[in-house]
Amino acid sequence: SQELEQSPQSLIVQEGKNLTINCTSSKTLYGLYWYKQKYGEGLIFLMMLQKGGEEKSHEKITAKLDEKKQQSSLHITASQPSHAGIYLCGADPDSNYQLIWGAGTKLIIKP
Amino acid sequence: DVKVTQSSRYLVKRTGEKVFLECVQDMDHENMFWYRQDPGLGLRLIYFSYDVKMKEKGDIPEGYSVSREKKERFSLILESASTNQTSMYLCASSFPLVADTQPDEQFFGPGTRLTVL
């Protein structure tokens, strides 16, 4: 079955440093969604990418979808404590209601 | 702002008990979803509903049932709770899929952390 691989599983970054999280699929995706989850809470929508080569930014977070629409990266510039949490990618493989999800990347920011 | 609320943040039940998890959304969304989240496994879809009284099985429906009597409310039922159902349960809602467009983003509730003893 379709799977999304997220890497790394966890990440500890010094405050102020940049970081990248990846999300990879073996098949072309119709859409790719990035969410953030504070520990023990629900998911907050960050960005959605649809087109090959698309790039979106919000504050210090930039997400890109490759041309083949099989891989996405989430880049955080000058990380802050508020960026800590779990980042999940979700994707639509079949253009229907159901999204598939990566296992998540746990991000810890060291002060 | 879209709001998705879940009836409890934390719940402790005993094996064999019947458990009801309630989810309410206030944005008139047609679609509603129940997921469970376990470490290392990400989100797994249990059931979803695309309209009142309509439901579809997700990836892991065994041991669960759902009810959607009203558009704004989607209930997850554990008929006889077992310890392997200890998990974080997340409810989400979204607008319906429109042909040739991307599914809308899903809006999530805060989650219910269920422990079955």
Side-chain angles (χ1 to χ4, degrees):
Chain A
S1 62
Q2 179 80 43
E3 287 186 351
L4 284 181
E5 296 283 338
Q6 256 187 266
S7 62
Q9 287 187 339
S10 62
L11 195 54
I12 302 173
V13 174
Q14 191 75 40
E15 184 178 351
K17 297 293 187 183
N18 303 338
L19 63 107
T20 300
I21 298 168
N22 293 301
C23 179
T24 303
S25 166
S26 57
K27 297 181 181 180
T28 299
L29 303 167
Y30 283 90
L32 193 291
Y33 303 75
W34 281 102
Y35 284 81
K36 179 187 174 186
Q37 183 180 30
K38 288 282 191 186
Y39 300 118
E41 297 183 9
L43 278 65
I44 298 168
F45 173 75
L46 294 175
M47 277 172 271
M48 180 181 75
L49 303 166
Q50 296 178 241
K51 301 174 184 174
E54 186 174 11
E55 179 176 319
K56 286 186 178 178
S57 293
H58 176 68
E59 298 180 345
K60 294 186 177 180
I61 302 176
T62 300
K64 300 178 186 179
L65 183 62
D66 74 339
E67 290 290 343
K68 287 186 179 179
K69 296 170 66 175
Q70 289 183 241
Q71 183 169 13
S72 178
S73 60
L74 186 83
H75 185 76
I76 299 177
T77 305
S79 58
Q80 301 169 352
S82 61
H83 290 131
I86 299 171
Y87 290 81
L88 291 104
C89 62
D92 172 28
D94 300 315
S95 191
N96 63 19
Y97 299 114
Q98 298 187 48
L99 300 183
I100 57 172
W101 296 88
T105 296
K106 184 176 180 179
L107 174 62
I108 297 170
I109 306 295
K110 282 173 51 178
Chain B
D1 279 352
V2 174
K3 199 163 186 181
V4 181
T5 56
Q6 293 183 229
S7 50
S8 306
R9 291 299 301 273
Y10 301 93
L11 207 53
V12 179
K13 295 291 182 181
R14 295 205 175 274
T15 301
E17 280 192 80
K18 191 169 186 176
V19 181
F20 292 87
L21 302 182
E22 302 284 338
C23 176
V24 177
Q25 50 92 6
D26 66 358
M27 273 299 289
D28 206 33
H29 285 164
E30 278 79 2
N31 297 340
M32 296 189 75
F33 308 82
W34 273 108
Y35 295 93
R36 64 177 283 176
Q37 183 180 29
D38 300 287
L41 296 178
L43 298 180
R44 292 181 291 168
L45 182 65
I46 305 172
Y47 269 96
F48 71 97
S49 169
Y50 53 90
D51 203 350
V52 176
K53 296 190 187 295
M54 306 303 287
K55 60 185 179 185
E56 292 286 338
K57 292 180 180 179
D59 298 321
I60 51 164
E62 296 79 19
Y64 303 93
S65 61
V66 290
S67 172
R68 183 115 182 254
E69 296 297 318
K70 293 185 178 181
K71 192 176 185 180
E72 67 271 18
R73 188 179 297 269
F74 192 34
S75 302
L76 180 70
I77 303 153
L78 287 67
E79 296 291 341
S80 177
S82 63
T83 54
N84 62 15
Q85 291 178 311
T86 291
S87 187
M88 171 72 118
Y89 289 88
L90 291 164
C91 173
S93 69
S94 73
F95 285 115
L97 180 68
V98 177
D100 299 327
T101 68
Q102 280 304 118
D104 243 17
E105 67 183 89
Q106 294 182 15
F107 293 85
F108 284 81
T112 295
R113 187 166 292 282
L114 172 67
T115 302
V116 182
L117 301 175

